[in-house]
Structures are given as structure tokens and as C-alpha cells.
């Protein structure tokens, strides 16, 4: 069965078969290729920890009971405080059909604009910039532009990790046609490692750089005066604002960049969260669009500005109006005629009269009591929004929190009513990827327990609120037909988003629908090929933007940049359960430039405390030469489920772009100091065991799944152990475990060494080692060998002193997840064989021969070996 990957916005096709999941070679988005996350999707189809039954106040309930109470609470809030006292907060994980029903219910029938989505956190700025420039939220290019470009500029986009299948197309273009690849990024990211040119800008420096490039192109005669004159407005003001911009880039590097930009008409600029998540994001994207409009590099093969969406259906949510400042189907609150059109189409006299609250504002309203009831679906704002402590307080204060999800999360833990949602493999509908391609997502297995699709939940809520007639859908096909009909209703070419040809699609054709772009028309799928835009005068608009002076660095603080890792997704409710995906980065860490680390006396593995006005977090440091000085990088994924530090978003403030409302996740400021470790610990246990921080013990901990259902725990003590503590007492203080049927332990309090094994007959439940000196601890591989040894080969002494399980040489950090190849093995192969190419490494170790996501790191190893040899 053909379906679609539920991870990033590339929208890769999958084939689900009884023997597993594979890439769909016939799908235009990926042509059969998958990244490491997509390739391991089959491992996520484990329902043991899924939410399967509705609960009210923690007790099991029927769907009727849960939905009746949800409707009663919403109705009471609306009656007492008005429609703006309730809200939906939804997700780019939704299918378009889920989104459509939720948006219609809130805006059309409850009568409030208070539906926003976690896409606000990643894609709201491109939406705002597209509308300002084009008159409509449109990505004009298609993936084929990456194949046909002569220059691809990735800015604020670590596509090698975050959109790896699409990035492989860029690498292929370089191989086939000599395409140059440029990476603009404060860090030497995986994308920068594989680029022909890396431009290491200061955080937030993109706006100034693209304004300077516009000015240079004007000086060198590289603009398209005919296009500007015939198809745009506002050029003179935009160029005036750009002139004289101080870009802050090394002169020689800027000269190389400017020469390539000025002389390469087939140019794609791909941007993502590094641009989007800042206080100047909308203006920065406008600067990118200004450059493409001024050079006429839009709507042509290999020439476009391209927003890389972060979620599988962030684009679909934008189509249906899932953001609080949209109506639906690219209709706008700003146009009275649009409001009237939608009111008549939906037969909704109570249509929301104004935009609703954007994500950060929405949770502030919860915190101060303006929101009395909220329905959260498919997202985990307790971890993912900035100021997570503030968000959790808002959830605690809100009288009614309803959460629908597949897995338990920090958000469901704070909800009054929890509803079990069907997951991607159990849902039927459509998604739209970054290039406006609609693909079918098809259910290929039953939902566990009583889990239901989100659209069904919202129709049931609508029925209980008295709106059943408007939500009488037989299934997802009926919802899609209405969505398509709305897009074409009284459109007459005014909006490019138009699915009218699909408005009467029969169920059987919907079931068989193959991927297709919108608008639905034969021929070239690029938009604006004729210079005809969606503004009232049909001209693209230049926006006059200028870069403000950069803020001075705060003494003793770093700029905190948060972002994605190669093998993880969002708050890891899915990927964090897969041992193979945890092997590349096992735990949270702060990446620091060596110079910054030296200034603070920090080495890799040392604990650092980061503090902002919104909270603090303690985690290990990781020295990384790819990191720019003055800034630190921390992954957005880690939560309280994986370690004592919890989410890095605890430190991020509420600053956001004034136009889009998108938070500035890339520009936090945090004080940093080293925390001295007193003792260290490692444990390996069966999956039923879980770790928790005990304040009395004072330990920083992390938790990582390992193969075979084992769990690897790491502890770092920041307070001295009590002098009379025993190994058993220490184990009980650190861990929640099943009843310890039998234990064997050893302690040397003078040396600070404690060891314990917990057994169930001949089966090992737990191995725990604690020591003052980290070097005295065994490797996790050694502990795994003891777990895997035959019962007869073990004795009590062997469990505690390291005999009987072998030496357990560490495999090191796994670089190639596809073939489980570690960094030590790769470096050894390079040295022994004097390898000089990626292909040679692949032949020797298999690394890099799978999905290709690790190729940038392999190149980095080669570069470092070359430097060392010199």
C-alpha cells in the first residue's frame, strides 16, 4: 500500500507491505530514497506504550463520557465568557482533513479565531513574507528546481540533516551538472561540510547579507529591469534600503559569494528554521525574495526562493487556514469579501470576525485566565513552546485542558481529559509537502485500542455543541471534497490555491489518488512563470527592509541556538523509543566552540549550567570545532522523559517576529558556568526500569534505549554522597525499579566505588556502577555483554568486577545508523587504509552506503585527517 512518511516536509512516499516499509520509487518527492528516520519507521509501530482509552481525571472513560464532558466544558466557557475563551492548538502532524474540520468548527461555528498550530513555531514567517510579496502564501518553485539549478544557496537550513532526501538531489545536481552549493550558517553544519562554500555569518545576519547582495547585483548590472518594470512594484524603496548595508562577512568570502550570485541566473535559495525563527524573520525572508524578484529568478527552471517546511503537513495546515490569522483556503481576515464568501460557503452566520491568538499569546491568555478551555491535539506544547515552565503553569491554571495524542507526553500529563488518537499508520487522508504536492496517507493497520482520528473527534464535539448538520461527514473523502470545493468557490483565478477539479472526486478515485501539485493543471508546475502574481494589481511587491545594528554580546553569556538533530524528531515521542536512532547522539548536550569552552575551563563531558531569566538547565558540554564562537547549540528534542535537564526551551524567551508571531528559538541568551562533578554512574537495566532524579542525591541523569529492550542510564553527581550510604541505598535513591528479588553488591566507601546487580533468578534486571572517577566505570558495551551472557557463565563476582562479560571495547558514537558503524571504526579504517574519499570509506566499512545522512560527517573525518597529516 502506498502512503507518505510522517516526518519532515519533503513528503517522501512509502510502500507499506507485510514485510516492512520501503521507499516508493514511483513517488516524485523521493524516488524511493529514504533518510535514516524514514528507513526505521517500521520500528516505531510498537503500541505497547500508546494511549488507547479515553480518560477523565486519570480514570478510564468511554468515548461518549469523555466527549460529553469536553462539550459541556466548552459550552460552559462559551456561555460564561464568550467564544474567545476557548481555543484549539493543533499540529502539522494533522492530515489536511483533520485540519479542515478543526478550523471550520472553531472559526465557522464556535465563532472564534482561536485555533493555532505548532506550525506557528516553524513556518509562520514564510507565510507572512509570501503574502507580503506575492499576495498569497505560495512556494513558487518545485523540487525539480534543485535538479536544474547551477547555484543552490542553503541559508538557515541544515538540509543535510533536516531534509536529507532533498539535499541528496542537490548533491546529485553538483555531480551531474556542476551545481555549486553554498551554505550560509553560523555553524559549520553538516550542510556546510558538504558545500562548496561556507559563509559563517553571525546569528541573525541573513537579512544584512541578502540586502548587501541585492545592492551588489544592482551595482554589477545583474538585475532584470524588464521583469522589475513589468511585474513588480516598490523596487526603488527596497534598493534604497539595501544600499550600504554592512554585511559583516570576511571580504574575500563575500566577494566569492557575490560573484557567484551575480553571475548565476539559475539560482535556488532554500531557507528554513535558521531564518524563520528570529525576531526579524519576515523581513529576512523579504530580503531573500527581493533578491530573486530583482534578478527575475522566480518561476523559471532552477531559479526560485524555496521555503523548506519542517513538518509533513505544515503546508496543508496553511491551505485550510490552520493559523489563527488565516480564515481558510487562502482567504484572509483582511478582506471583507473573503469573510462574506466563507460565511456563505459554510452557512456559518457566527464566523469569527477577527484573527485569533497566535501560539505564544494563546498560552499567555491561558496563564492569565482569558482562555478557559483548550483542546490540544498532536503536539506537546509543555516541551516545545518557549518558556516551558511558564507554559506548564498555564496548563495547570487553565480550568479545562483536553489533549488528544498517540503517546503520553508532558502535555497529556497535565490534561483533564486525555483522548487516544490514531497515528500516521492508522489514519486516512492527505498531506501537502514543501513543493505543493498533495499525497495520500493511507491507513495500513488498525488503530490500537479505542484510538480515533482527529477529524472524527472534532465532528463529535461539533455535534454535541449543536452543529452536527454542518459536520455530517461519512469519512475523509467527504471532507476533502468540501475542502477542494471551498478552494474553488467564487475563486475565478483570484487565488492560485484552487483544487476545484477534485471537488467531486468519487471515493474510489480519492482512495487511488496519486501525488499531484496544486494548482491542478497540465504542464509546468512552477508558479508565476508569466509574472502574474496574486496581489490586487497582479504585481509582486518589493518590501523595503534594512538590517538593524546587531546587539552587543552579554558578558559571561552565550547566544543559545536551538535546533534539530539528524536522527530525531520534535519531542521524541516516536524517535526517542528507537535504539538505532539514539545511537548517533545518546543524550542532551551543549555544543560549544573550543575557544569558549577554554575560557570557562570546560572540557567535553563536563557539566554546565545554563541560566536565563526564564529558567535554568544543567547538561554536559560537547566541544565542537564546527560551532561558532560566542554561541552554543542545543537540540530541541530532549525532554524530561530522556533526562533531568528536560527541555532547552525552558530558557528561550517570548521574543518573536512582530509580523508572523514566530518565536526566536535561534536567539536565546544564557549565562554559562561549569558545574563540578563529584561522582559518576552508569547503569543498564531492563526496559521496565525508569530513572528519576532524587534531589537528596543531587544527580544529573539521562536515559537512552539500547537494543534488546535494555535502557542505558548515566548519572553525574553534583553533591557528595552521604558517608554511610550503601550500594543498595544508592540504587534505591537513583532508580525506580521492579521489586528487587535478589541483589549482589559491593562498596568501597573510601574510594567512592559502589556496584550492584539486581537479579530475577538467572536473569539480570540491573547492573549499576558508581565511582568518583569516571574512568573507573565500565563501558555500556561491557554491561551489555554481561546481560547477553548465558546464565551458567555468570557468577556474582563477574557481575561486579567485570569478568565473564569480556572487556566490552566501546563502539563509540554511531555515525552510520543504517549499518551501525561507529566513529572509532571509521577513523581506524581511514588511518589504516589511508583512505581519501567517501567511496573508499564505504567500501571499507559500509558507512555512507545507506541513506547518505552521515556523508557530511565522513567528509569531516577526511578533512581532519588531512589537516593532521599536514
Amino acid at each position: 500500500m502506498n502512503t507518505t512518511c510522517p516526518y519532515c516536509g519533503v513528503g517522501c512516499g512509502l510502500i507499506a507491505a507485510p514485510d516492512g516499509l520501503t521507499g516508493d520509487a514511483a513517488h516524485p518527492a523521493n524516488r524511493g530514497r529514504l533518510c535514516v528516520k524514514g528507513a526505521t519507521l517500521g520500528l516505531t509501530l510498537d503500541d505497547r506504550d500508546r494511549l488507547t482509552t479515553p480518560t477523565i481525571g486519570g480514570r478510564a472513560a468511554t468515548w461518549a463520557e469523555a466527549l460529553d464532558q469536553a462539550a459541556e466544558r466548552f459550552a460552559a466557557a462559551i456561555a460564561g465568557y464568550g467564544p474567545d475563551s476557548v481555543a484549539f492548538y493543533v499540529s502539522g502532524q494533522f492530515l489536511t482533513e483533520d485540519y479542515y474540520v478543526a478550523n471550520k468548527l472553531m472559526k465557522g461555528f464556535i465563532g472564534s479565531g482561536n485555533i493555532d498550530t505548532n506550525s506557528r513555531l516553524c513556518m509562520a514567517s514564510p507565510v507572512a513574507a509570501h503574502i507580503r510579496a506575492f499576495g498569497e502564501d505560495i512556494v513558487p518553485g518545485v523540487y525539480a528546481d534543485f535538479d536544474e539549478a547551477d547555484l543552490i544557496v542553503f541559508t538557515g537550513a541544515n538540509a543535510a540533516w533536516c531534509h536529507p532526501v532533498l539535499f541528496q538531489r542537490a548533491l546529485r545536481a553538483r555531480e551531474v551538472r556542476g551545481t555549486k552549493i553554498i551554505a550560509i550558517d553560523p555553524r559549520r553544519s553538516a550542510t556546510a561540510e558538504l558545500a562548496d562554500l561556507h559563509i559563517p555569518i553571525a546569528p541573525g545576519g541573513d537579512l544584512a547579507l541578502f540586502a548587501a547582495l541585492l545592492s551588489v547585483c544592482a551595482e554589477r548590472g545583474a538585475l532584470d529591469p524588464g521583469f522589475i518594470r513589468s511585474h513588480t512594484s516598490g523596487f526603488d524603496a527596497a534598493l534604497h534600503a539595501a544600499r550600504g548595508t554592512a554585511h559583516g562577512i570576511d571580504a574575500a568570502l563575500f566577494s566569492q559569494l557575490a560573484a557567484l550570485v551575480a553571475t548565476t541566473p539559475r539560482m535556488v535559495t532554500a531557507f528554513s528554521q535558521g531564518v524563520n525563527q528570529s525576531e526579524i524573520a519576515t523581513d529576512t525572508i523579504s530580503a531573500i525574495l527581493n533578491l530573486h524578484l530583482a534578478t527575475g529568478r522566480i518561476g523559471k527552471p532552477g531559479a526560485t526562493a524555496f521555503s523548506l517546511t519542517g513538518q509533513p503537513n505544515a503546508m496543508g495546515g496553511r491551505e485550510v487556514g490552520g493559523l489563527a490569522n488565516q480564515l481558510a483556503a487562502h482567504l484572509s481576515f483582511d478582506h471583507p469579501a473573503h469573510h462574506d464568501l466563507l460565511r456563505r460557503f459554510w452557512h456559518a452566520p457566527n464566523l469569527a470576525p477577527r484573527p485569533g491568538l497566535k501560539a505564544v499569546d494563546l498560552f499567555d491568555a491561558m496563564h492569565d485566565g482569558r482562555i478557559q478551555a483548550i483542546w490540544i491535539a498532536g503536539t506537546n506544547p509543555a516541551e516545545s513552546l518557549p518558556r516551558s515552565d511558564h507554559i506548564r503553569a498555564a496548563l495547570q491554571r487553565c480550568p479545562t485542558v483536553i489533549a488528544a495524542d498517540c503517546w503520553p507526553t508532558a502535555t497529556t500529563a497535565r490534561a483533564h481529559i486525555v483522548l487516544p488518537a490514531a497515528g500516521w499508520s492508522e489514519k486516512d487522508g492527505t498531506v501537502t509537502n514543501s513543493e505543493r504536492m498533495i499525497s495520500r496517507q493511507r491507513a495500513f493497520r488498525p488503530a490500537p485500542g479505542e484510538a480515533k482520528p482527529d477529524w472524527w473527534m472534532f465532528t463529535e464535539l461539533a455535534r454535541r455543541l449543536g452543529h452536527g448538520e454542518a459536520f455530517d461527514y461519512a469519512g475523509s473523502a467527504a471532507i476533502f471534497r468540501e475542502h477542494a470545493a471551498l478552494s474553488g468557490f467564487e475563486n475565478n483565478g483570484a487565488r492560485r490555491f484552487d483544487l476545484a477539479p477534485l471537488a467531486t472526486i468519487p471515493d474510489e478515485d480519492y482512495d487511488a489518488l496519486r501525488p499531484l501539485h496544486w494548482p491542478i493543471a497540465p504542464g509546468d508546475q512552477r508558479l508565476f512563470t508569466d509574472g502574474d502574481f496574486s496581489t490586487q494589481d497582479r504585481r509582486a511587491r518589493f518590501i523595503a527592509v534594512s538590517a538593524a545594528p546587531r546587539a552587543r554580546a552579554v558578558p559571561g553569556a552565550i547566544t543559545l541556538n536551538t535546533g534539530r538533530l539528524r536522527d530525531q524528531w520534535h519531542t521524541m515521542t516516536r524517535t526517542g523509543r528507537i535504539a538505532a536512532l539514539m545511537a548517533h547522539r545518546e543524550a542532551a548536550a551543549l555544543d560549544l566552540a573550543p575557544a569558549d569552552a577554554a575560557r570557562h575551563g570546560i572540557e567535553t563531558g563536563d557539566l554546565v549550567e545554563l541560566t536565563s531569566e526564564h529558567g535554568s538547565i544543567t547538561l554536559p558540554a560537547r566541544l565542537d570545532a564546527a560551532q561558532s564562537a560566542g554561541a552554543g547549540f542545543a537540540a530541541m528534542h530532549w525532554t524530561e522523559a530522556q533526562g533531568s535537564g528536560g527541555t532547552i526551551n525552558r530558557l528561550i524567551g517570548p521574543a518573536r517576529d512582530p509580523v508572523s508571531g514566530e518565536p526566536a528559538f535561534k536567539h536565546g541568551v544564557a549565562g554559562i558556568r561549569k558545574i563540578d562533578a563529584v561522582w559518576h554512574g552508569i547503569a543498564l537495566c531492563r526496559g521496565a526500569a525508569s530513572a528519576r532524579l532524587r534531589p537528596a542525591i543531587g544527580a544529573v541523569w539521562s536515559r537512552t534505549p539500547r537494543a534488546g529492550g535494555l535502557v542505558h542510564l548515566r548519572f553525574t553527581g553534583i553533591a557528595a554522597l552521604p558517608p554511610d550510604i550503601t550500594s543498595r541505598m544508592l540504587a534505591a535513591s537513583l532508580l525506580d525499579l521492579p521489586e528487587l528479588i535478589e541483589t549482589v553488591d559491593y562498596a568501597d566507601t573510601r574510594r567512592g566505588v559502589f556496584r550492584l546487580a539486581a537479579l530475577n533468578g538467572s536473569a539480570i534486571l540491573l547492573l549499576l556502577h558508581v565511582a568518583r572517577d569516571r574512568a573507573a566505570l565500565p563501558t555500556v558495551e561491557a554491561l551489555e555483554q554481561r546481560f547477553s551472557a548465558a546464565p551458567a557463565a555468570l557468577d556474582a563476582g563477574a557481575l561486579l568486577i567485570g569478568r565473564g562479560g569480556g572487556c566490552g571495547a566501546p563502539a563509540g558514537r554511531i555515525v552510520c545508523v543504517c549499518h551501525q558503524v561507529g566513529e572509532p571504526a571509521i577513523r581506524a579504517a581511514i588511518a589504516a587504509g589511508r583512505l581519501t574519499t567517501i567511496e573508499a570509506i564505504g567500501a571499507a566499512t559500509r558507512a555512507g552506503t545507506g541513506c547518505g545522512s552521515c556523508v557530511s560527517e565522513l567528509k569531516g573525518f577526511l578533512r581532519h585527517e588531512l589537516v593532521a597529516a599536514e
Side-chain angles (χ1 to χ4, degrees):
M1 179 178 290
N2 302 91
T3 188
T4 310
C5 179
Y7 287 122
C8 77
V10 174
C12 295
L14 296 170
I15 296 177
D19 58 347
L21 295 165
T22 56
D24 182 355
H27 197 290
N30 61 314
R31 305 167 181 169
R33 294 193 70 101
L34 295 175
C35 73
V36 66
K37 292 191 292 291
T40 54
L41 263 170
L43 299 176
T44 70
L45 304 179
D46 181 346
D47 298 333
R48 283 176 290 183
D49 296 326
R50 286 281 297 273
L51 297 173
T52 57
T53 304
T55 61
I56 302 173
R59 69 166 180 85
T62 65
W63 271 107
E65 290 172 324
L67 289 167
D68 285 348
Q69 185 163 139
E72 289 169 7
R73 287 174 174 241
F74 262 70
I78 294 167
Y81 300 91
D84 287 335
S85 69
V86 299
F88 294 159
Y89 186 64
V90 296
S91 170
Q93 302 290 295
F94 268 21
L95 303 187
T96 298
E97 292 76 5
D98 300 321
Y99 257 130
Y100 182 85
V101 174
N103 187 59
K104 178 181 176 181
L105 175 56
M106 179 55 69
K107 289 181 181 141
F109 290 83
I110 291 176
S112 172
N114 286 344
I115 173 172
D116 212 36
T117 163
N118 62 8
S119 296
R120 176 72 59 190
L121 311 185
C122 57
M123 298 314 302
S125 298
V127 173
H130 290 156
I131 292 172
R132 289 204 308 192
F134 307 145
E136 190 174 355
D137 175 24
I138 286 177
V139 175
V142 291
Y143 291 164
D145 289 317
F146 288 81
D147 305 329
E148 300 178 44
D150 294 320
L151 176 64
I152 302 175
V153 179
F154 290 99
T155 185
N158 187 12
W161 276 15
C162 302
H163 300 90
V165 171
L166 184 57
F167 187 71
Q168 293 293 322
R169 291 177 77 152
L171 295 180
R172 177 64 176 164
R174 180 167 64 185
E175 179 183 332
V176 171
R177 60 184 292 132
T179 301
K180 296 293 184 184
I181 298 174
I182 297 174
I184 301 172
D185 199 306
R187 298 188 298 148
R188 189 173 180 85
S189 64
T191 302
E193 189 68 60
L194 290 169
D196 298 290
L197 182 65
H198 172 217
I199 308 296
I201 60 169
D206 311 74
L207 194 162
L209 180 57
F210 278 89
L213 288 171
L214 174 61
S215 181
V216 167
C217 285
E219 293 167 3
R220 298 187 183 184
L223 304 185
D224 187 336
F227 185 86
I228 294 170
R229 184 173 53 254
S230 300
H231 302 297
T232 72
S233 63
F235 170 72
D236 290 341
L239 181 59
H240 177 75
R243 288 198 186 279
T245 301
H247 52 72
I249 306 298
D250 172 81
L253 273 180
F254 181 77
S255 179
Q256 284 182 266
L257 172 65
L260 285 168
V261 170
T263 60
T264 313
R266 286 183 174 239
M267 169 182 160
V268 170
T269 303
F271 59 92
S272 194
Q273 311 314 332
V275 166
N276 300 347
Q277 294 177 332
S278 89
E279 291 181 80
I280 55 171
T282 304
D283 282 356
T284 300
I285 299 167
S286 291
I288 294 170
L289 299 179
N290 285 350
L291 177 62
H292 276 265
L293 289 170
T295 53
R297 297 171 187 175
I298 201 158
K300 299 174 182 176
T304 191
F306 206 111
S307 167
L308 299 177
T309 51
Q311 295 193 77
N313 201 30
M315 184 72 77
R318 289 147 62 175
E319 293 163 2
V320 305
L323 292 166
N325 53 305
Q326 299 175 320
L327 275 172
H330 287 201
L331 300 170
S332 171
F333 279 104
D334 296 333
H335 296 285
H338 287 185
H339 193 276
D340 178 66
L341 181 157
L342 185 60
R343 177 185 57 78
R344 288 184 288 107
F345 181 86
W346 276 346
H347 303 289
N350 198 34
L351 186 65
R354 67 188 71 86
L357 295 170
K358 299 170 185 175
V360 173
D361 299 318
L362 175 61
F363 281 82
D364 282 348
M366 287 174 60
H367 195 274
D368 64 27
R370 285 175 288 146
I371 296 296
Q372 292 288 302
I374 188 168
W375 184 304
I376 300 168
T379 187
N380 185 15
E383 305 280 15
S384 60
L385 277 169
R387 295 178 301 166
S388 61
D389 290 343
H390 175 80
I391 299 303
R392 293 176 185 212
L395 290 167
Q396 294 295 130
R397 291 185 178 197
C398 187
T400 297
V401 176
I402 301 163
D405 214 320
C406 300
W407 309 94
T409 68
T411 301
T412 62
R414 292 163 172 81
H416 304 95
I417 300 173
V418 177
L419 304 174
W424 72 276
S425 60
E426 306 128 25
K427 295 175 74 169
D428 192 70
T430 58
V431 294
T432 307
N433 72 358
S434 294
E435 62 165 347
R436 296 174 281 104
M437 178 175 285
I438 298 170
S439 296
R440 285 281 277 111
Q441 192 160 296
R442 296 176 173 90
F444 58 87
R445 68 189 195 114
E450 300 175 51
K452 299 287 188 182
D454 291 278
W455 69 261
W456 179 88
M457 299 183 212
F458 286 115
T459 59
E460 289 296 308
L461 177 64
R463 184 171 64 81
R464 286 166 169 80
L465 292 175
H467 310 303
E469 185 177 352
F471 292 84
D472 187 20
Y473 300 114
S476 56
I479 302 168
F480 183 83
R481 283 191 289 268
E482 183 176 308
H483 166 57
L486 172 58
S487 72
F489 184 64
E490 298 181 7
N491 189 331
N492 302 316
R495 302 180 306 281
R496 299 302 175 92
F497 177 62
D498 188 348
L499 306 180
L502 299 176
T504 58
I505 186 172
D507 284 7
E508 56 270 24
D509 290 350
Y510 174 81
D511 291 340
L513 189 68
R514 293 296 299 163
L516 77 166
H517 289 92
W518 64 257
I520 301 167
D524 193 347
Q525 296 301 323
R526 297 175 181 87
L527 289 177
F528 311 139
T529 56
D530 55 359
D532 180 43
F533 295 87
S534 298
T535 56
Q536 189 170 2
D537 62 5
R538 314 307 286 182
R539 290 172 173 265
R541 292 187 290 254
F542 284 94
I543 306 297
V545 294
S546 56
R550 284 193 283 270
R552 292 184 177 181
V554 178
I558 60 170
T559 298
L560 185 58
N561 174 14
T562 68
R564 299 180 188 271
L565 295 177
R566 189 189 76 186
D567 298 350
Q568 296 303 332
W569 180 252
H570 286 196
T571 60
M572 297 168 65
T573 51
R574 185 188 297 131
T575 54
R577 302 168 187 273
I578 308 304
L581 295 180
M582 297 294 290
H584 184 242
R585 294 283 182 91
E586 290 188 327
L590 175 72
D591 290 357
L592 281 175
D596 291 332
R599 188 160 45 252
H600 294 280
I602 296 168
E603 297 181 359
T604 291
D606 288 345
L607 291 180
V608 294
E609 181 186 59
L610 296 174
T611 304
S612 77
E613 61 180 295
H614 308 289
S616 65
I617 186 172
T618 301
L619 71 172
R622 177 179 176 269
L623 273 61
D624 186 358
Q627 185 63 42
S628 60
F633 175 82
M636 58 178 267
H637 310 290
W638 311 101
T639 71
E640 61 185 13
Q642 292 89 33
S644 54
T647 173
I648 195 67
N649 291 326
R650 176 177 288 126
L651 309 185
I652 303 300
R656 50 206 183 273
D657 182 276
V659 181
S660 70
E662 185 163 339
F665 285 105
K666 304 295 185 185
H667 302 278
V669 177
I672 180 171
R673 72 181 182 97
K674 179 181 176 181
I675 302 292
D676 291 327
V678 181
W679 53 269
H680 305 272
I682 183 172
L684 196 66
C685 54
R686 297 289 177 193
S690 63
R692 69 171 182 262
L693 180 66
R694 297 277 191 159
I697 291 296
V700 174
W701 59 266
S702 65
R703 180 182 190 276
T704 306
R706 301 283 290 189
L710 300 177
V711 176
H712 175 202
L713 305 168
R714 288 163 295 271
F715 304 95
T716 304
I718 56 178
L721 295 172
D724 58 346
I725 197 165
T726 67
S727 296
R728 295 188 187 200
M729 292 167 60
L730 183 56
S733 298
L734 291 173
L735 302 166
D736 280 332
L737 291 167
E739 183 179 352
L740 302 182
I741 298 174
E742 179 185 353
T743 61
V744 182
D745 64 278
Y746 166 83
D748 183 339
T749 55
R750 182 180 60 83
R751 294 172 49 231
V753 174
F754 301 88
R755 301 169 187 164
L756 179 137
L759 309 171
N760 181 7
S762 61
I764 304 172
L765 298 179
L766 163 72
L767 294 175
L768 169 68
H769 287 246
V770 171
R772 291 197 190 106
D773 183 1
R774 183 164 47 198
L777 298 177
T779 65
V780 67
E781 290 83 3
L783 298 185
E784 284 179 319
Q785 288 183 6
R786 297 172 201 179
F787 265 84
S788 63
L794 293 174
D795 59 59
L799 290 175
L800 298 180
I801 65 173
R803 293 195 305 268
C807 62
R813 182 176 63 89
I814 297 297
V815 174
C816 177
V817 171
C818 295
H819 298 301
Q820 290 293 292
V821 188
E823 181 175 344
I826 295 169
R827 290 191 181 276
I830 292 172
R834 298 183 179 180
L835 308 181
T836 60
T837 66
I838 301 296
E839 292 74 18
I841 294 175
T845 67
R846 300 186 72 198
T849 62
C851 72
S853 297
C854 64
V855 168
S856 62
E857 289 183 83
L858 302 183
K859 183 179 179 183
F861 295 155
L862 291 174
R863 180 167 54 84
H864 295 152
E865 288 293 324
L866 179 62
V867 171
E870 294 175 347

